[in-house]
Amino acid sequence: DVEGGLNGRVGRWERYFDIWFALPLYNKLFGVSTSGNRSSLVMCSAGMHNDYIRNLFTTGIIGLAVYLIFLIGIIYRAMFFRIPERFLILGAMMALLMHSISTIPLGYSAYIYFLFSVFSFALMPVNEAYRVLSPDSRNGRTKTSNQARRVVRK
């Protein structure tokens, strides 16, 4: 029985997709919150038990596409990092991607703090991510390790 799959989640998704398919194109593109449908509150909440479906219903096809492009961009950027950092970035991404199938991981604040810290590191310029700071004893300011070496040589 497919409807009972994932503890009844699949049946719930089928029911709400029937509602979504009956909505006008505008609501499919931009989300159901302005549709006036009485089910839109549930469709935009954690009751969907799937972050992809919730994002589709809440932000529409366009919003889901932007979200997926963001995630793909992080995966792409991870390829420019060294292996330990790449493992951290891709591990966090895979946890989010897999966890999003059966629940709403972005609804847990501790999870968001971890993921956004890792993803913000992944999105910074690689040369900045590996820049090492060392203290400059003369004025208390920090300099990059290359600048510090130049000071020592003088």
Side-chain angles (χ1 to χ4, degrees), residues 113-124:
Y113 297 148
F114 169 71
L115 289 176
F116 285 3
S117 298
V118 172
F119 294 166
S120 61
F121 176 76
L123 293 171
M124 67 188 301

Side-chain angles (χ1 to χ4, degrees), residues 23-30 61:
L23 292 173
L25 178 62
Y26 176 83
N27 293 119
K28 291 176 187 165
L29 291 175
F30 298 106
I61 295 169

Side-chain angles (χ1 to χ4, degrees), residues 131-152 154:
R131 187 175 72 162
V132 177
L133 298 177
S134 61
D136 181 1
S137 59
R138 285 184 283 177
N139 58 14
R141 293 175 44 203
T142 58
K143 296 187 175 197
T144 64
S145 58
N146 289 336
Q147 290 171 329
R149 280 189 216 111
R150 279 188 233 124
V151 170
V152 171
K154 288 183 180 179

Side-chain angles (χ1 to χ4, degrees), residues 65-85:
V66 169
Y67 178 66
L68 294 175
I69 289 168
F70 170 73
L71 297 179
I72 291 167
I74 291 172
I75 293 169
Y76 173 75
R77 292 275 305 146
M79 298 306 129
F80 296 101
F81 285 88
R82 296 178 190 148
I83 290 175
E85 290 83 4

